[in-house]
Amino acid sequence: MSLKTFSRGGVHPPEHKLSAGNKIIELPPPEVAVIPVAQHLGAPSKVLVNRGDQVKVGQLIAESAGFVSTNIHSSVSGKVLKVDQFMDSSGYRRLAVQIQVEGDQWLDTIDRSDDLVRNSVLPAEDIRKKILEAGIVGLGGATFPSHVKLMVPQGKTAEYLLINGVECEPYLTADHSLMMERSEELLSGIQLLMKGLGVEKAILGIENNKPDAIKKMQQVVQGSSVTVQGLKVKYPQGGEKQLVKALLKREVPSGGLPIDVGVVVFNVGTALATYEAVMKNRPLIDRVVTVTGKSLEKPSNFLVRIGTPVSYLIEQAGGLPENTAKVINGGPMMGKALSTIDIPVVKGSSGILLINETEARRKEVKPCIRCTKCVTVCPMGLEPYLLMTLSEKSLFERMEPEKVMDCIECGSCSYTCPSSRPLLDYIRLGKGEVGKIMRASLAV
Amino acid sequence: MSQIIIYTIITLVGIGAAAAIILYFVAQKFKVFEDPRIDEVEAALPAANCGGCGFPGCHNFAETLVKSENWDNLFCPVGGNETMAKAAAILGREAIEQAPRVAVVRCNGTPEFRPRVNSYDGAHTCAIVHSLYTGEAGCPFGCLGEGDCVVVCDFDAIHMDPDTDLPVVIDDKCTACGACVEACPRDIIELRKKNKKDRKIFVSCINEEKGAVAKKNCSVACIGCSKCFKVCPHEAITMENNKAFIDSDKCKLCRKCVAVCPTSAILELNFPPPRKKEPVEASETKTD
């Protein structure tokens, strides 16, 4: 089988997939769960419960508040302790529902059996409705509400559904384990998404560092209209624009979306959640999170309820090693260091990475030596050194013509910089400011 | 040989004369008339080009002064009333007087009062830290200590105190141009009325969290208890979003609020030590 990849830029950081091949372990619910109402891109959901209310697993506790928004369900059963401000991953306080867990009572409508259900008779519209009802968002990390993606804008047509099984971030193995253990359900989920989108062709892209997953999925998809394509290992292949380029050789235009070239991309986790929502009536209440790190005793893939504290996950993986210097929410390339581990797992949490003292230290920032390595590795064809300087000098209006909004924040530039310059930090700041300027000019 | 030199001179003089005539007519045709008063007014301005007036530079400000009828929102904070009076004299009109102002840093979260709970090693600018998380101390409203305000100050009027990790304003140098106010991503710096001898009373905290949460992060946080609000005889204090605010235009510096504040969040600066008698303060409080 020939391996494909995207053409422009990219890096290959050491993979460190420590938890690869480890079975998914289902963790029991925590004692207290904290479920934020803003776990997705778009408008925060509207809380429906009050202090003292009894809730069951799968019960709707916050409803979609707008077109780009989604539902949030209780992941545990018990009593609502508080609807209040709780710390999120950035340390800022945001509205969340705190639930004291009592037992594990599920709504009767949810099918909890392991039986595989195939061949849905539901029309496409109902599939989309179920996805919204179940509160499904992109589980690759961007957490964009999935039902919105399934609605193809007028004048555009979807031709391909791409399923992202790339998992190009080092250390993370959550999607890998899903493909290995839930392959049949995954296929069913992909077929549901195809139906919801109205496309005939789907391609599942998997990087070549997971040969077992490629083999397994190839066996499973035989006889269906889904194909599996192996990909050369290169970061950031999991970015949707890079994946479209790698699998179909199509270039998403600047400022555009994959639908502009007739493609919609979903993560494998999202496809599985779709299967559970449509076939099993099970809302998105849990997800697989990789807890990993070189000093960690048991790097694992845990199936955890949304709202479980991160500290509980680390405890289950053997406890916080003494030499831990940073706890990263996500992978090492795009993840963010946490200032506290008393925060809940949310829909977008893909991994918890513990970094020890020797790895964590940032190198001293030195002057730019104009080597243009950052330009070479940028998968979007930008000039990171220039964007950083513009941002540093607050010349935000000059950043827009330099296409700063195309930046996917993959961090390849910062990773490769021999002077250890914080390129992405400044570019992200500039992106935020340019976004503000653009919104302000739209509002006028 | 000499002929060549003569021809050369004649030709060059000819070209020069022709070019001069063309340029003269072009200059007449495309002449832009500028009010000569603009330059006069500009000469009276401080030439700091700091942008404190809201215009990109002193020239633009001078132009606006000359052209606009209404001067309500036009003021040069650097030059102050003196400069505005000069500009007004040139234009033969009255200047609007404004009380001089000074930048005040409304955070007192030194490491002692506000312990650092994590360490940050990313890019050292407040704007980035603020966009990433709450900062090294847990307070989501407090000073981040990376010194964005110091970088933007054109007058060398603000610097970081290494002991407190907080910016310090040098009142004599501060021109109230507002650059630091703009630069602070947390809106901690405020321009307040300048009092005699640089005396100041202000709530040195802008935390909007509930008292218990705020207190956990910082022992000198404003907890929104409203004690100062109740004691103020001049109605200078307002309570909003769990925090007190003292309006510097209404405050008479009586210091009653300082005494009642349970967390010492209200600071008094540049007052003489308490033992000495203060005739100014005493008379002011008595008159009310």
Side-chain angles (χ1 to χ4, degrees):
Chain A
M1 184 180 61
S2 67
L3 296 173
K4 292 185 176 175
T5 190
F6 59 100
S7 48
R8 189 166 50 200
V11 290
H12 187 185
E15 286 158 27
H16 297 307
K17 303 266 189 190
L18 308 172
S19 48
N22 293 4
K23 283 256 181 256
I24 299 173
I25 302 165
E26 187 176 349
L27 289 189
E31 281 170 27
V32 177
V34 175
I35 304 169
V37 296
Q39 299 187 32
H40 47 267
L41 274 182
S45 313
K46 206 175 113 233
V47 182
L48 298 175
V49 290
N50 291 310
R51 185 179 175 166
D53 287 0
Q54 288 289 335
V55 291
K56 282 183 176 176
V57 180
Q59 187 178 330
L60 188 68
I61 55 170
E63 67 176 357
S64 170
F67 180 59
V68 184
S69 182
T70 195
N71 289 339
I72 288 171
H73 303 81
S74 177
S75 58
V76 293
S77 63
K79 200 167 81 180
V80 176
L81 283 180
K82 255 190 211 171
V83 179
D84 201 359
Q85 310 281 321
F86 287 92
M87 241 188 264
D88 71 356
S89 62
S90 62
Y92 292 112
R93 280 163 200 281
R94 310 246 193 270
L95 196 63
V97 179
Q98 189 187 37
I99 301 168
Q100 174 76 54
V101 179
E102 291 159 3
D104 197 23
Q105 287 184 332
W106 290 56
L107 284 185
D108 301 332
T109 49
I110 300 171
D111 174 6
R112 294 183 66 195
S113 68
D114 284 338
D115 306 338
L116 185 69
V117 195
R118 272 269 172 84
N119 305 326
S120 154
V121 287
L122 285 176
E125 206 172 296
D126 286 12
I127 293 176
R128 288 198 289 265
K129 211 173 131 206
K130 282 230 167 192
I131 286 175
L132 164 65
E133 276 169 10
I136 294 175
V137 298
L139 294 180
T143 63
F144 190 79
S146 299
H147 65 280
V148 182
K149 259 194 187 175
L150 283 179
M151 291 196 234
V152 179
Q154 269 192 343
K156 285 169 189 165
T157 42
E159 194 188 336
Y160 278 99
L161 168 72
L162 299 189
I163 300 295
N164 187 346
V166 174
E167 202 158 53
C168 57
E169 273 272 2
Y171 286 97
L172 303 189
T173 56
D175 291 349
H176 184 185
S177 56
L178 279 182
M179 287 188 282
M180 291 306 293
E181 293 177 39
R182 312 285 302 273
S183 24
E184 294 282 347
E185 289 105 317
L186 181 57
L187 175 65
S188 176
I190 295 171
Q191 284 163 335
L192 287 170
L193 284 173
M194 286 167 72
K195 198 168 174 193
L197 200 59
V199 296
E200 299 297 319
K201 289 174 276 190
I203 309 174
L204 168 61
I206 306 172
E207 272 192 352
N208 197 32
N209 56 1
K210 299 176 269 291
D212 48 349
I214 297 177
K215 211 170 151 199
K216 177 102 193 219
M217 287 313 298
Q218 268 172 341
Q219 281 166 6
V220 171
V221 299
Q222 261 169 15
S224 73
S225 51
V226 182
T227 47
V228 174
Q229 175 65 50
L231 296 163
K232 219 168 123 182
V233 182
K234 192 157 92 172
Y235 178 87
Q237 198 138 240
E240 54 177 19
K241 286 166 190 166
Q242 280 63 41
L243 191 66
V244 172
K245 178 81 185 172
L247 290 174
L248 297 170
K249 293 221 178 304
R250 292 185 189 181
E251 188 103 25
V252 179
S254 166
L257 292 168
I259 189 67
D260 295 332
V261 290
V263 184
V264 175
V265 185
F266 281 102
N267 185 266
V268 286
T270 319
L272 189 68
T274 303
Y275 163 79
E276 287 181 331
V278 179
M279 297 305 204
K280 301 276 192 175
N281 229 347
R282 188 172 187 272
L284 182 57
I285 51 157
D286 53 11
R287 68 157 297 148
V288 178
V289 180
T290 304
V291 183
T292 181
K294 281 184 193 159
S295 308
L296 194 68
E297 198 183 314
K298 294 179 285 188
S300 325
N301 300 307
F302 290 134
L303 179 67
V304 289
R305 307 280 175 96
I306 304 290
T308 306
V310 166
S311 51
Y312 176 71
L313 261 64
I314 296 174
E315 220 173 274
Q316 294 297 317
L320 196 71
E322 249 181 44
N323 63 357
T324 305
K326 275 183 190 168
V327 179
I328 307 236
N329 183 18
M333 295 296 286
M334 286 188 73
K336 230 178 94 181
L338 295 173
S339 56
T340 168
I341 54 171
D342 292 322
I343 57 146
V345 167
V346 290
K347 290 177 183 176
S349 315
S350 50
I352 300 295
L353 168 63
L354 309 181
I355 298 206
N356 61 36
E357 282 154 6
T358 45
E359 293 170 301
R361 221 168 288 139
R362 277 213 194 193
K363 286 192 197 125
E364 191 198 341
V365 177
K366 297 198 193 87
C368 173
I369 56 167
R370 310 269 151 161
C371 66
T372 67
K373 272 192 173 174
C374 54
V375 182
T376 317
V377 298
C378 179
M380 298 307 290
L382 308 177
E383 293 174 273
Y385 75 92
L386 176 65
L387 292 173
M388 172 179 172
T389 313
L390 291 176
S391 175
E392 236 179 339
K393 309 280 182 226
S394 302
L395 299 169
F396 301 118
E397 66 282 2
R398 279 186 59 192
M399 293 180 82
E400 214 232 299
E402 296 293 342
K403 302 278 179 214
V404 68
M405 296 314 272
D406 280 358
C407 172
I408 57 165
E409 305 184 17
C410 67
S412 298
C413 50
S414 299
Y415 173 79
T416 198
C417 180
S419 291
S420 321
R421 296 178 68 73
L423 289 149
L424 178 58
D425 296 5
Y426 276 97
I427 294 171
R428 206 189 276 125
L429 173 72
K431 241 181 119 175
E433 294 296 326
V434 171
K436 268 187 224 162
I437 295 171
M438 285 166 75
R439 276 194 295 278
S441 64
L442 276 182
V444 169
Chain B
M1 188 59 191
S2 64
Q3 257 190 340
I4 294 175
I5 296 172
I6 289 164
Y7 284 137
T8 313
I9 291 170
I10 290 170
T11 318
L12 281 175
V13 169
I15 293 171
I21 291 163
I22 294 167
L23 280 174
Y24 173 76
F25 284 108
V26 170
Q28 289 299 316
K29 174 89 181 155
F30 293 103
K31 193 172 175 182
V32 177
F33 176 76
E34 200 186 54
D35 197 329
R37 292 177 302 170
I38 293 176
D39 282 340
E40 280 180 55
V41 173
E42 193 187 345
L45 296 176
N49 290 311
C50 62
C53 52
F55 294 89
C58 293
H59 187 82
N60 304 64
F61 184 56
E63 208 178 322
T64 318
L65 283 180
V66 171
K67 283 181 184 162
S68 51
E69 291 288 311
N70 184 1
W71 275 19
D72 281 355
N73 294 318
L74 299 174
F75 191 77
C76 170
V78 179
N81 289 326
E82 204 182 313
T83 299
M84 290 308 287
K86 262 193 227 167
I90 292 166
L91 300 170
R93 57 187 295 175
E94 284 282 302
I96 301 165
E97 291 240 328
Q98 268 190 27
R101 297 192 164 249
V102 65
V104 173
V105 180
R106 291 179 294 168
C107 176
N108 195 22
T110 62
E112 181 194 346
F113 297 136
R114 184 178 58 147
R116 303 301 188 245
V117 292
N118 61 72
S119 74
Y120 173 77
D121 66 353
H124 290 288
T125 118
C126 305
I128 288 178
V129 182
H130 175 69
S131 67
L132 287 175
Y133 78 128
T134 47
E136 289 187 321
C139 178
F141 292 87
C143 177
L144 296 162
E146 303 286 2
D148 280 13
C149 48
V150 179
V151 176
V152 295
C153 184
D154 278 340
F155 303 95
D156 200 17
I158 192 163
H159 63 89
M160 295 300 296
D161 184 335
D163 296 332
T164 60
D165 255 359
L166 294 170
V168 180
V169 178
I170 302 163
D171 290 17
D172 292 340
K173 286 186 178 176
C174 177
T175 59
C177 71
C180 51
V181 178
E182 284 277 305
C184 180
R186 293 200 158 165
D187 295 331
I188 290 169
I189 305 177
E190 186 207 352
L191 295 178
R192 292 177 74 86
K193 196 179 89 183
K194 205 167 181 171
N195 294 307
K196 266 187 214 161
K197 295 179 185 167
D198 290 330
R199 286 179 182 169
K200 284 183 208 125
I201 303 251
F202 61 99
V203 183
S204 189
C205 180
I206 56 159
N207 195 311
E208 292 176 3
E209 289 174 311
K210 284 177 194 160
V213 182
K215 194 84 197 283
K216 210 181 265 176
N217 287 327
C218 178
S219 63
V220 292
C222 173
I223 52 170
C225 67
S226 307
K227 276 189 178 167
C228 53
F229 169 72
K230 283 172 199 148
V231 80
C232 180
H234 309 293
E235 288 178 353
I237 300 181
T238 43
M239 297 298 305
E240 208 183 337
N241 296 331
N242 277 321
K243 67 170 193 269
F245 174 74
I246 305 178
D247 187 338
S248 58
D249 292 324
K250 290 183 186 161
C251 175
K252 299 274 194 304
L253 304 178
C254 70
R255 296 197 274 169
K256 282 188 179 153
C257 51
V258 182
V260 295
C261 182
T263 57
S264 314
I266 302 178
L267 289 190
E268 49 166 30
L269 292 183
N270 302 325
F271 283 89
R275 262 194 219 162
K276 282 185 195 165
K277 280 267 173 189
E278 302 157 33
V280 185
E281 293 314 310
S283 66
E284 267 194 17
T285 41
K286 267 174 206 162
T287 50
D288 282 287

